[in-house]
Amino acid sequence: MSTPRKRFWTKTEITETKDGFGVQLDGREVKTPAKAPLLVPTRAIAEMIAAEWQAQGEKIDPETMPATRFANAAIDKVATQFDEVAAMLVAYGETDLLCYRASFPEALIARQAAAWDPLLDWASQRFGVTWNVTTGVMPTPQDQQVTQRLGAHVAQFTVFQLAAFHDLVAVSGSLVIGLAAAENHRDLETLWLASQLDEDWQIEQWGTDEDAAELIATRRAAFLNAGCYFNACTTDSSLLK
């Protein structure tokens, strides 16, 4: 386990160049782990990153810096393997969570239909695709149009958007939920609850323990942080004030 780095700065500032917005700590440029300049496309993202650095205590805690981590991932990783990351995320549509339903009990069937059918209907209308919905866990193939059309859409994301979109999809287990979050089709909390529907049902029946509750809280924070960061990729900072 690495030793936590100590805080070495007092003042955090946002800078603007022709290549984007950066963050300085006492005049020193923040860089990514790969030593690339940490430059982001919108002031809104830079403000999030600057706020995270300014909020650090005596020791730096990376777990409290999601916007910084997303930007680092975008610059150091996604930029060099964009197509691979995009394809991996689009592949979630082939076995999307929302397409696999319970066969019993009736109360769970109804709850899934109420929460998931509207999201699939939206995705069908928005992207012109048809979803194959089944019961149980055996894989049911989707039409090629799903990966083709949704893949074309995801390919238009910037590297910064794709870095956040990764968590929206991977944490929820649903390409549809990730897209709904990216397009502000529903608020993030509602979409998170939709992704947790099966787990919440099980908790209602059998209860939960402290470790499971902590894991759920961590995943929820990751999903919400990803949604906020994705929105900041295209949001003018003046709209946040």
Side-chain angles (χ1 to χ4, degrees):
M1 182 180 296
S2 61
T3 303
R5 295 171 56 198
K6 292 185 178 181
R7 179 168 180 152
F8 57 84
W9 71 95
T10 301
K11 187 177 182 180
T12 306
E13 294 180 293
I14 295 173
T15 61
E16 182 176 359
T17 72
K18 63 181 179 62
D19 297 316
F21 298 88
V23 175
Q24 290 186 347
L25 309 176
D26 288 346
R28 298 170 60 182
E29 181 182 55
V30 174
K31 294 188 176 182
T32 71
K35 306 304 181 184
L38 196 154
L39 292 173
V40 295
T42 69
R43 180 174 287 273
I45 299 177
E47 288 177 347
M48 293 171 68
I49 294 172
E52 290 175 351
W53 284 92
Q54 189 60 32
Q56 295 302 300
E58 181 181 346
K59 295 181 179 180
I60 302 172
D61 182 4
E63 294 302 313
T64 64
M65 308 174 76
T68 303
R69 294 202 311 273
F70 283 130
N72 287 337
I75 296 168
D76 287 349
K77 298 179 179 180
V78 178
T80 62
Q81 49 187 338
F82 185 97
D83 291 343
E84 293 86 346
V85 175
M88 176 190 68
L89 297 177
V90 172
Y92 274 80
E94 298 173 5
T95 55
D96 201 282
L97 168 71
L98 307 191
C99 294
Y100 289 81
R101 307 297 177 88
S103 56
F104 67 91
E106 289 297 327
L108 177 56
I109 294 173
R111 187 180 297 187
Q112 289 176 337
W116 295 352
D117 284 355
L119 290 172
L120 289 178
D121 290 343
W122 166 79
S124 293
Q125 296 175 10
R126 170 67 179 84
F127 300 104
V129 298
T130 300
W131 299 94
N132 295 323
V133 177
T134 187
T135 57
V137 295
M138 293 301 293
T140 297
Q142 299 291 341
D143 191 283
Q144 276 191 329
Q145 64 176 337
V146 170
T147 52
Q148 290 175 347
R149 295 185 181 182
L150 298 185
H153 179 77
V154 172
Q156 298 176 38
F157 289 164
T158 67
V159 295
F160 295 94
Q161 289 173 318
L162 193 63
F165 190 65
H166 174 277
D167 279 17
L168 290 173
V169 174
V171 174
S172 69
S174 169
L175 178 61
V176 174
I177 287 178
L179 289 168
E183 301 219 343
N184 294 309
H185 175 64
R186 294 280 191 276
D187 67 89
L188 292 172
E189 185 65 33
T190 296
L191 293 170
W192 165 250
L193 291 175
S195 76
Q196 283 292 112
L197 191 151
D198 286 345
E199 287 83 353
D200 287 343
W201 174 268
Q202 292 299 323
I203 290 172
E204 290 174 15
Q205 309 311 307
W206 308 106
T208 189
D209 57 41
E210 186 175 335
D211 289 341
E214 184 177 347
L215 178 59
I216 290 172
T218 298
R219 293 175 62 243
R220 174 180 175 273
F223 182 83
L224 298 181
N225 287 331
C228 291
Y229 182 91
F230 189 98
N231 288 334
C233 288
T234 54
T235 300
D236 178 54
S237 61
S238 65
L239 301 178
L240 304 179
K241 299 177 180 177

